[in-house]
Amino acid sequence: RAHGGQVWTIDGKLPADLLDPRPHQVPDLLLEAEDYSPDARVFRDAAHQRALWAAWALALRGEPMDLGRLRRLLERESLRNALEPYRRDPRVAEWVQRLEHHRGGVEDSGAMGLDRALGILLDGPAMLGSLRSCPEALRLEDVLGTNGLVLFKLDAAEYPHATRKVASWVLLGMGRLARQLSDASTVSGPRALLLVDEVGALGSAARHLRGLVGRAREAGLAVVLATQGPSDLEAVDRALLPQLRGLFPK
């Protein structure tokens, strides 16, 4: 804050809009950090499909990918009503028809499972509105576009599940923006800095660092990883440490 930056916390009042605006990317983001056993894979697939249709419903209506709105549209009738005005599109007509036959069963069960998971997040640590889309919401695009500074202060001890989920969204968002930086780059040297402290606390979310590290140089993105030791990197992603070692000449 002393340097003009912002501090975001999951249980704070500063809103952050961290979801990808592209509807086809939204389901995987919503399912980040959600653990499904091999036997429950069918329920994950059902949740993914319902989340995809919900994201497209918002896109067709010209609305942002707001977490609360997406959650409400996981309910079958709400989603069917949202898609109904666009039924002239053959794809949407097929979705509506399938929703009309999704009464109970795996499809509704999968959607209800994701609804519960998002409810635990939105009605729990994010209850004050830290994860929503609004004009004043923090966006990574705006931070980079204004050479801004933001600290995402995550608490893995108190909110382990939310930490993994939000960390995934931030890292994937930076990966998406890194590609845009690369396409628009006209200057040499770093154009943005990403500092990740306590990498070992990110759990499964740390796997997204591989893609970032791989394209960082050409995108003008400097990535700094802070950890207690190499074993922490191996614990979260066994491929990450060899990748980092390969960046430095022997």
Side-chain angles (χ1 to χ4, degrees):
R1 290 193 180 101
H3 295 280
Q6 299 183 82
V7 178
W8 181 93
T9 59
I10 186 70
D11 54 3
K13 294 182 179 180
L14 176 64
D17 182 0
L18 300 175
L19 293 183
D20 195 311
R22 299 169 295 178
H24 64 278
Q25 296 289 349
V26 169
D28 287 329
L29 292 176
L30 298 185
L31 287 164
E32 279 289 339
E34 303 302 334
D35 298 323
Y36 289 83
S37 69
D39 292 338
R41 179 75 187 189
V42 63
F43 295 102
R44 185 191 188 282
D45 292 343
H48 188 282
Q49 182 184 73
R50 188 70 63 87
L52 177 63
W53 294 349
W56 271 112
L58 290 182
L60 289 169
R61 293 158 62 173
E63 298 181 12
M65 296 297 150
D66 179 76
L67 199 57
R69 297 180 193 178
L70 286 164
R71 182 194 172 194
R72 288 190 290 273
L73 287 175
L74 292 174
E75 196 275 322
R76 180 172 46 81
E77 284 301 316
S78 297
L79 180 55
R80 189 181 68 81
N81 291 334
L83 290 172
E84 185 66 36
Y86 310 97
R87 198 165 184 165
R88 286 176 295 179
D89 185 313
R91 296 173 303 168
V92 177
E94 180 188 350
W95 300 344
V96 172
Q97 186 176 27
R98 292 172 66 179
L99 283 168
E100 291 172 346
H101 293 86
H102 280 183
R103 298 183 181 277
V106 170
E107 291 80 7
D108 278 349
S109 295
M112 289 171 61
L114 181 56
D115 171 76
R116 284 193 295 269
L118 295 180
I120 291 172
L121 180 64
L122 291 174
D123 299 334
M127 186 176 62
L128 295 180
S130 61
L131 291 171
R132 58 191 173 95
S133 178
C134 58
E136 64 272 20
L138 175 71
R139 294 176 178 81
L140 293 174
E141 294 92 330
D142 298 336
V143 175
L144 293 182
T146 59
N147 294 321
L149 176 66
V150 60
L151 168 65
F152 287 95
K153 191 175 180 181
L154 304 176
D155 191 337
E158 188 166 0
Y159 307 122
H161 178 263
T163 291
R164 294 195 304 272
K165 208 173 192 70
V166 173
S168 294
W169 293 352
V170 172
L171 294 178
L172 287 168
M174 288 299 298
R176 170 172 56 87
L177 294 173
R179 287 189 289 272
Q180 296 177 11
L181 286 173
S182 178
D183 293 340
S185 180
T186 58
V187 297
S188 59
R191 300 182 58 204
L193 168 66
L194 173 66
L195 171 61
V196 183
D197 193 16
E198 295 293 348
V199 176
L202 300 183
S204 60
R207 73 188 190 280
H208 299 305
L209 285 166
R210 265 185 285 154
L212 268 176
V213 171
R215 68 175 65 95
R217 183 178 298 177
E218 66 183 42
L221 175 65
V223 180
V224 179
L225 307 181
T227 181
Q228 297 295 326
S231 60
D232 285 349
L233 297 178
E234 290 182 317
V236 296
D237 188 337
R238 296 181 64 181
L240 185 57
L241 184 59
Q243 182 186 22
L244 294 174
R245 284 174 171 163
L247 296 175
F248 301 96
K250 297 180 179 180

